[in-house]
Amino acid sequence: MARALTIDIEGIGRVLLEKSKRSKYLNIFVMPFKGVRVAIPYGISFDEAEGYVRSKVDWIKKHIARIKKVEAEYFSVAKEVSVIDEREARIGLAQRVKELASRHGFSYGKLYIRCQRTRWGSCSHNNNLSLNIKLMSIPRELCEYVILHELMHTRIKNHGKRFWAQLDRIVDGAKSLDKQLRRYNLELL
């Protein structure tokens, strides 16, 4: 029995139908640069899955349009993003953290620099900082915003009004920078 089948659907293009042991329900995924994939539980046939996909054509088209915007933005952002040398990035980030912490009177525990898929940074309860190495590939002001954001979490462990007020004292327009940061999709960098 085949585990995968590719079909063409007018208005959508190629759709990968794939049997999945982990899937309990039919799931449609519209992914940047990969297209449309349907995870099919073993109790459902390819014909049933195809019928389901055809019934969701409008939904899929809407999501394809949104993904095309993400892809276009990725290419416009990719022109701004620099290629990073991992060793230099680790050293550079560590220096920036040390400098910004000193300048603004923050103290932190350990510093971890990793290649993460979903987060720019985090701060643990013990005030250990974890930063994404990809910070070195985005504009400096956004990188410093993330570092200061995480350093602020060494004092305030939530995103309440007090947190944003304190962050605004050291970073002009913190919420605006937070919005700018969202242009850079970590999974695509």
Side-chain angles (χ1 to χ4, degrees):
M1 179 178 162
R3 282 189 25 96
L5 175 70
T6 302
I7 59 173
D8 282 313
I9 295 182
E10 190 174 330
I12 295 175
R14 288 198 169 175
V15 177
L16 174 64
L17 304 175
E18 192 169 38
K19 293 285 185 170
S20 170
K21 290 179 184 176
R22 296 185 331 188
S23 195
K24 292 181 182 180
Y25 307 98
L26 277 168
N27 291 303
I28 300 173
F29 301 94
V30 182
M31 300 174 291
F33 307 108
K34 294 182 181 176
V36 181
R37 176 186 175 265
V38 181
I40 307 169
Y42 272 94
I44 296 177
S45 72
F46 283 118
D47 289 337
E48 289 174 281
E50 182 176 345
Y52 179 73
V53 170
R54 290 186 187 281
S55 74
K56 299 291 183 183
V57 166
D58 290 338
W59 181 90
I60 295 169
K61 284 181 180 179
K62 182 175 81 175
H63 282 78
I64 287 173
R66 191 165 34 176
I67 292 298
K68 286 188 188 287
K69 286 181 185 175
V70 168
E71 290 172 344
E73 193 164 291
Y74 166 77
F75 285 116
S76 72
V77 167
K79 292 174 189 170
E80 301 170 23
V81 172
S82 59
V83 177
I84 57 174
D85 175 285
E86 207 169 300
R87 185 172 174 276
E88 283 182 31
R90 288 180 193 285
I91 293 168
L93 273 174
Q95 286 173 344
R96 282 190 193 176
V97 170
K98 190 175 182 180
E99 173 194 321
L100 289 169
S102 174
R103 184 185 318 158
H104 297 284
F106 289 103
S107 61
Y108 57 94
K110 296 178 182 174
L111 174 63
Y112 301 97
I113 299 170
R114 304 179 175 121
C115 186
Q116 300 168 324
R117 286 186 4 193
T118 59
R119 290 179 178 221
W120 288 110
S122 62
C123 176
S124 75
H125 251 313
N126 298 327
N127 294 334
N128 295 329
L129 302 180
S130 181
L131 296 176
N132 196 322
I133 199 163
K134 295 175 186 176
L135 283 169
M136 295 301 285
S137 66
I138 63 176
R140 184 180 179 95
E141 70 176 349
L142 294 178
C143 176
E144 289 185 359
Y145 159 73
V146 171
I147 293 169
L148 289 167
H149 181 110
E150 298 311 331
L151 285 169
M152 185 58 70
H153 280 307
T154 63
R155 294 181 186 160
I156 304 169
K157 301 292 185 197
N158 59 49
H159 287 111
K161 289 180 181 180
R162 189 170 149 250
F163 172 86
W164 289 105
Q166 291 292 316
L167 187 58
D168 262 334
R169 287 184 178 172
I170 58 173
V171 179
D172 287 335
K175 288 231 179 186
S176 171
L177 290 169
D178 197 60
K179 282 183 182 177
Q180 287 179 41
L181 186 63
R182 292 176 197 193
R183 287 185 56 221
Y184 297 88
N185 187 325
L186 270 171
E187 292 184 28
L188 299 178
L189 286 179

